[in-house]
Amino acid sequence: MPERLLAPEGIAASVVEFDHGGATLIAEDFGTGARPYVLIHGIGMGRSVYLDFIERLPGRIIALDLPGFGEAPEPSRTLTMARHADLIAAYLRSAGVSDAVVIGHSMGSQIGAELAARHPDLLDGLVLAGPTVNSAARSVWEQATYLLRDLIGERPIVLWRGAREYLRGGPHLVRKIRATVVHEPEKAYAKVKCPVLVVRGAHDPLAPVSWCTEITRLVPGRAELREIPDHGHGTLISDAELAAEIITEFARSL
């Protein structure tokens, strides 16, 4: 059975396995308030790595482990970004959520974009944190190179939590990375109707400022870019206070 990993003691929480279309996600749901934050993790990660960030968000939180990551079982076949989005949409509908502020980090930004494009009735706002995959560098080799550059300057807690979760990702991780790299998120961005906030660490090579600026231009409606000084790609994992403040401010403006 999945464990309670993020909810503070004394706050009611539910942790459920949700099955749909041959895949299973884990959802930890706690707190109260309008417009729940729905957190979609990055490649090789899981909900547990975002503890510092979650502690700084107000209201209701729904944090996910996608199929084959964290505590969620490995699916029979690797999911595309669109299939991930459809799975999350089915879960949100089952939970009665139709006003989410979706926060997608890294690969999660690509899934969040597909969720907003394919299921616009479920979102009030979309946050793209360290959005991948830069359209100018769409190959496994280029993305791996950028990741290594980022890791050199990351804080130890990011390295430790990331290494732990990558090991849990199992032998299918390369296949999952390929599914991420072949995705073309710009096609989804052009269909997003809700307000969008793009957040990047100033030293993030996987989400260069040119790509993040392009995203804000692709989104037809309201879209803004905020940069966090002295951070890399793991801006939601460690020292997350400023990221939480920016995202909370955005959610309150909706």
Side-chain angles (χ1 to χ4, degrees):
M1 292 295 293
E3 299 180 14
R4 170 183 172 140
L5 298 178
L6 299 175
E9 291 300 322
I11 294 181
S14 67
V15 185
V16 300
E17 290 189 6
F18 179 80
D19 302 310
H20 177 79
T24 303
L25 62 74
I26 305 296
E28 184 171 355
D29 185 343
F30 59 94
T32 59
R35 293 197 180 101
Y37 295 99
V38 177
L39 180 58
I40 307 175
H41 62 76
I43 187 77
M45 298 293 172
R47 73 189 194 277
S48 66
V49 304
Y50 299 95
L51 179 61
D52 302 321
F53 175 65
I54 290 295
E55 288 177 341
R56 291 168 169 82
L57 284 182
R60 182 181 176 188
I61 312 292
I62 301 173
L64 306 177
D65 283 347
L66 299 174
F69 298 104
E71 293 187 295
E74 191 70 41
S76 57
R77 60 190 178 98
T78 302
L79 273 64
T80 63
M81 302 300 103
R83 282 197 67 212
H84 274 113
D86 292 344
L87 172 62
I88 294 170
Y91 167 73
L92 293 177
R93 289 194 173 94
S94 75
V97 174
S98 61
D99 55 355
V101 177
V102 170
I103 305 169
H105 177 223
S106 193
M107 177 192 73
S109 69
Q110 297 172 240
I111 297 169
E114 289 289 351
L115 182 61
R118 297 165 69 87
H119 306 278
D121 57 306
L122 298 176
L123 282 76
D124 279 0
L126 174 63
V127 179
L128 307 169
T132 49
V133 175
N134 177 7
S135 60
R138 189 163 288 147
S139 75
V140 172
W141 171 252
E142 287 171 309
Q143 292 298 309
T145 301
Y146 290 148
L147 179 59
L148 288 173
R149 281 175 51 194
D150 178 71
L151 291 176
I152 291 171
E154 278 291 4
R155 292 163 173 80
I157 192 171
V158 175
L159 300 177
W160 163 242
R161 290 182 180 175
R164 181 190 65 195
E165 291 303 318
Y166 267 84
L167 288 173
R168 291 176 69 180
H172 305 292
L173 188 57
V174 172
R175 195 168 65 193
K176 297 170 187 176
I177 292 172
R178 288 198 184 102
T180 304
V181 171
V182 300
H183 179 242
E184 298 176 314
E186 60 270 21
K187 294 180 179 178
Y189 294 140
K191 300 176 184 178
V192 174
K193 298 179 181 179
C194 65
V196 173
L197 170 66
V198 181
V199 180
R200 73 175 296 270
H203 306 310
D204 185 353
L206 285 95
V209 68
S210 57
W211 171 234
C212 291
T213 301
E214 182 181 346
I215 292 171
T216 64
R217 293 172 181 159
L218 287 167
V219 174
R222 172 186 165 191
E224 59 184 294
L225 169 62
R226 297 288 298 273
E227 195 169 75
I228 299 178
D230 302 320
H231 277 68
H233 195 59
T235 185
L236 298 190
I237 299 175
S238 72
D239 194 18
E241 183 174 1
L242 185 53
E245 288 177 2
I246 291 172
I247 291 169
T248 301
E249 177 186 338
F250 169 73
R252 288 173 177 163
S253 73
L254 300 175

